[in-house]
Amino acid sequence: MKNVRNILVLVSMLVVVAGCSSTGGGSFTDSRWKCAAVLGAAGGGFGAIDDSDAAVTGALIGAGIGALFCGGKDTDGDGVKDSKDECPGTPPGSPVDERGCEFDDDGDGVVNSEDRCPDTPAGVEVDSRGCELDSDGDGVGNSKDQCPGTPAGAKVDAKGCELDSDGDGVVDSRDRCPGTAKGTPVDNSGCDLEKEYTLHGVNFEFDSAKLTSNSTHVLDEALKILKRHPDLKVEIAGHTDSVGSAEYNQGLSERRAKSVYDYLTANGAKAASLSYKGYGESAPKADNGTKEGRAENRRVEFRH
């Protein structure tokens, strides 16, 4: 009779577990040990109807069933029970690891199901789609972009650098003279470099060879020309107006030309390709009788 009662207890416990597990939503069967305790108590209650020995047996049977069959709910259906699932809510059909988390094969922090750019190289920064960042929007990812900061809309090569169709060293978006013959020295607009190229905006302190602070920007632009044509022989020519003696102006123009030479060579220009010379007041371009004319005559030029 006791054996029959024990069998009934076992069947009852299984029915309870099956019924609770099928309802979902946080029943006591979600926790293995809570379930064991509840079913152990229930089993003991069933057994107590018979006698104390049956109560102990029922409690053991109930606890055993709880420990074996409870805690097995898998809410998101990914094959990993809720009690071990560190990533609940996985999309249906997504392969997961033993923790219940989706795979991220390229290790970029974006799981496979959301990764629109699989096989991203290790260490590359990506956006929410798993695609490499392209800060300047030129179509070349940051890790391969050798020319960051490309202007919007500019055509680039595979390295992310703007195209220079005529090969003159000035990119197409800045080239005002496309189609320049190969080897022709050009200015920063991509046009033929004048034989006497005036460095407009290069000025000096009064009666001095010291460059003014706003002259460096002009000289930095001039550096681009020299670095683009490192073997071009260039003379830096200094000129003054006619105020003062011709001898004094000759020396002043020489010192000013050297100041420009020193700045350019100190900042990367090829010294072997440069020379400097002062011409004093001997080569005016405008009328020294006017303030405007004298200002125009005080100048520095590239001659090649």
Side-chain angles (χ1 to χ4, degrees):
M1 186 65 180
K2 289 183 179 180
N3 289 335
V4 173
R5 188 176 296 280
N6 289 340
I7 291 172
L8 290 175
V9 169
L10 174 62
V11 172
S12 299
M13 294 301 102
L14 290 174
V15 170
V16 170
V17 171
C20 291
S21 297
S22 65
T23 60
S27 69
F28 70 86
T29 58
D30 290 348
S31 171
R32 184 181 304 277
W33 307 118
K34 183 187 293 185
C35 183
V38 171
L39 293 187
F46 276 118
I49 297 174
D50 190 7
D51 55 39
S52 59
D53 290 339
V56 173
T57 301
L60 292 175
I61 292 173
I65 292 173
L68 287 174
F69 297 104
C70 293
K73 188 176 182 181
D74 177 16
T75 304
D76 56 10
D78 60 3
V80 178
K81 305 304 182 186
D82 289 358
S83 59
K84 296 181 178 180
D85 199 332
E86 297 179 20
C87 300
T90 304
S94 297
V96 299
D97 58 22
E98 67 279 0
R99 299 177 301 118
C101 297
E102 283 193 75
F103 290 107
D104 173 19
D105 291 337
D106 57 8
D108 61 2
V110 179
V111 296
N112 291 352
S113 67
E114 298 177 3
D115 199 332
R116 299 295 176 266
C117 300
D119 302 321
T120 303
V124 169
E125 288 187 277
V126 299
D127 57 23
S128 59
R129 301 174 301 128
C131 296
E132 187 177 356
L133 295 181
D134 173 19
S135 300
D136 56 9
D138 61 1
V140 178
N142 289 353
S143 68
K144 299 178 181 178
D145 199 334
Q146 297 181 20
C147 300
T150 305
K155 294 181 180 179
V156 301
D157 58 21
K159 298 182 294 181
C161 297
E162 284 194 74
L163 299 181
D164 173 20
S165 301
D166 57 7
D168 62 0
V170 179
V171 295
D172 290 354
S173 65
R174 298 178 184 175
D175 199 334
R176 297 179 184 174
C177 300
T180 303
K182 186 176 181 181
T184 301
V186 298
D187 60 22
N188 290 329
S189 296
C191 299
D192 289 4
L193 184 66
E194 298 173 7
K195 290 297 182 181
E196 294 184 357
Y197 180 79
T198 302
L199 302 178
H200 294 289
V202 172
N203 297 302
F204 303 86
E205 294 185 5
F206 179 72
D207 196 25
S208 168
K210 184 177 181 180
L211 289 159
T212 58
S213 59
N214 57 1
S215 296
T216 57
H217 172 72
V218 179
L219 291 178
D220 289 341
E221 288 297 304
L223 270 170
K224 294 178 182 179
I225 298 175
L226 298 176
K227 289 180 179 180
R228 190 161 53 243
H229 308 290
D231 296 322
L232 180 68
K233 299 298 183 182
V234 174
E235 177 190 270
I236 301 168
H239 300 270
T240 67
D241 59 29
S242 61
V243 177
S245 70
E247 182 181 2
Y248 180 82
N249 286 335
Q250 172 63 35
L252 180 61
S253 66
E254 185 93 9
R255 294 193 300 275
R256 287 179 171 179
K258 185 178 186 303
S259 289
V260 172
Y261 171 89
D262 290 342
Y263 181 90
L264 295 173
T265 53
N267 286 279
K270 187 176 179 180
S273 297
L274 296 180
S275 62
Y276 62 89
K277 184 176 180 180
Y279 289 87
E281 60 186 70
S282 66
K285 294 185 72 174
D287 183 3
N288 274 309
T290 67
K291 180 179 179 180
E292 293 75 19
R294 290 193 296 274
E296 189 173 347
N297 289 333
R298 295 190 299 270
R299 68 194 187 279
V300 177
E301 297 171 335
F302 278 174
R303 291 184 173 185
H304 67 96

